Amino acid sequence: MKQRTLAGRQVSAIGLGAMPMSMNNDNQFPSHDDAVATVHAALDAGVTLIDTADIYAPSWDAMGHNERIVAEALRTWSGDSSEVFVTTKGGITRSDGEKWGRNGSAAYLREAVEKSLDNLGVDVIELYQYHRPDRWLVYGDIMTSLAGLQQEGLVRAVGISNASVEEIEIAQQVLGEGNLASVQNEFSPRHPGSIDELRYCGEHDIAFLPWSPLGGTGGGGGRNVGDRFEAFREVGDARGVSPQQVVLAWELALDPHVIPIPGARRPASITDSAQAVHIELSDDEVAALSRSVGIDD
Ligand SMILES: NC(=O)c1ccc[n+]([C@@H]2O[C@H](COP(=O)([O-])OP(=O)(O)OC[C@H]3O[C@@H](n4cnc5c(N)ncnc54)[C@H](OP(=O)(O)O)[C@@H]3O)[C@@H](O)[C@H]2O)c1
């Protein structure tokens, strides 16, 4: 499996997005055993990066659901899971009546980290990503709180998610040069809008994790990406691989800092997606695929 750098560690160039097993657009969930089998399939395929979050749960009162599935899958996998890198996130709230909110306060983030440590069954979180900006608070202050959790040793590295270039710059300034490990933004043929953040991360040696890299779950999402984006299907047909692999190979080719985290509810999905690391697209193919979704050189 091809490797990329995340928080100073080598991880598989394709990660597993564990979210759809606990939260997805069409509310179809695998059984607990099937979810664990899907994580095992990822590990068997050489995936050593798993992305989760505290809010990934079928309902507000089950927060931590996805983190606990990941933890159990790592405990029960037949291989050596000690090298697997698990990232989680916090800063979005869910409460009674399925009310969603944001909380970037120091007290909330500390409590959230402590709960995630418990759910994941670890003493330190390898990479903690601040999930979405709380617009009531100053972004730099939130980064200061995260830096405090890092200094205390509760989290080894800090990342941010759903961030603009300006927010990335603030995070760099507060956390210190080289200490912002990652940015996780939506990026796919369906949503190429984060290309500026992707390029900024490439120029500043920050890992960029495209979320919903295939276009998400539900109608018109990852399962059907080849129907909606013909250029990717055509390259896949010519090479005898799935359009999903071509999408992921294209994202990998955009910059060596890109580490896509495709979601899966079925073992077959992640087993296929992981194969994208073997596809070497030509510069012309990458440019043509980029142009097909409105990205110019
Ligand atoms: N930071 C954030 O705010 C944020 C927001 C959303 C998501 N995320 C992260 O991004 C991850 C991925 O996003 P996502 O799950 O929403 O969308 P996605 O990765 O774009 O698409 C997942 C869907 O694509 C299908 N799929 C995946 N690989 C396939 C393959 N090789 N062949 C056919 N179908 C395939 C899956 O099918 P099956 O269901 O049949 O397996 C699933 O329905 C999440 O798990 C989460 O970790 C982060």
Side-chain angles (χ1 to χ4, degrees), residues 13-295:
I14 297 286
L16 169 69
M19 181 187 82
M21 290 180 277
S22 302
M23 196 172 88
N24 56 59
N25 293 338
D26 50 19
N27 282 323
Q28 307 222 332
F29 300 102
S31 69
H32 182 78
D33 287 353
D34 287 348
V36 168
T38 300
V39 179
H40 286 173
L43 300 170
D44 290 339
V47 169
T48 57
L49 168 65
I50 303 177
D51 182 75
T52 179
D54 57 1
I55 54 158
Y56 295 166
S59 58
W60 70 274
D61 52 358
M63 272 179 67
H65 183 269
N66 199 248
E67 291 177 324
R68 290 189 289 272
I69 286 177
V70 170
E72 188 188 327
L74 290 176
R75 263 196 313 273
T76 55
W77 187 49
S78 55
D80 173 13
S81 61
S82 62
E83 291 303 310
V84 179
F85 192 108
V86 178
T87 73
T88 192
K89 315 181 202 74
I92 297 181
T93 60
R94 291 179 74 173
S95 50
D96 201 352
E98 281 302 347
K99 289 200 197 82
W100 292 72
R102 318 255 173 99
N103 196 336
S105 69
Y108 176 82
L109 289 175
R110 163 173 285 282
E111 201 181 318
V113 164
E114 284 168 356
K115 283 184 187 160
S116 288
L117 284 167
D118 198 39
N119 290 328
L120 292 169
V122 295
D123 298 329
V124 58
I125 292 168
E126 291 300 329
L127 172 62
Y128 195 70
Q129 302 160 102
Y130 178 55
H131 207 152
R132 240 175 222 282
D134 175 350
R135 301 287 179 205
W136 292 96
L137 300 178
V138 174
Y139 203 70
D141 290 346
I142 300 168
M143 294 303 114
T144 303
S145 302
L146 291 170
L149 296 171
Q150 187 186 28
Q151 277 148 22
E152 278 183 61
L154 297 177
V155 310
R156 200 154 350 246
V158 174
I160 56 178
S161 181
N162 300 297
S164 64
V165 167
E166 188 180 3
E167 285 156 346
I168 300 172
E169 286 172 338
I170 294 168
Q172 285 176 292
Q173 205 173 321
V174 174
L175 296 170
E177 191 57 37
N179 199 27
L180 174 65
S182 61
V183 172
Q184 184 179 138
N185 278 9
E186 183 171 16
F187 185 83
S188 66
R190 185 184 189 177
H191 188 97
S194 285
I195 188 67
D196 289 348
E197 288 81 18
L198 184 158
R199 287 181 173 149
Y200 181 92
C201 287
E203 286 157 15
H204 292 83
D205 200 18
I206 299 165
F208 183 88
L209 279 54
W211 66 252
S212 294
L214 299 169
T217 51
R223 283 183 194 172
N224 309 108
V225 70
D227 302 334
R228 194 156 168 202
F229 297 95
E230 220 172 276
F232 292 85
R233 195 194 61 232
E234 283 169 6
V235 174
D237 287 349
R239 288 169 173 262
V241 300
S242 68
Q244 287 82 5
Q245 286 190 37
V246 178
V247 170
L248 297 167
W250 165 70
E251 291 168 358
L252 287 169
L254 290 176
D255 191 281
H257 294 82
V258 172
I259 310 174
I261 45 168
R265 283 174 284 191
R266 294 171 303 130
S269 298
I270 188 61
T271 303
D272 180 71
S273 293
Q275 298 305 312
V277 298
H278 302 302
I279 301 175
E280 292 293 341
L281 297 171
S282 70
D283 291 349
D284 285 349
E285 281 177 313
V286 174
L289 291 170
S290 292
R291 274 197 304 279
S292 78
V293 298
I295 297 174

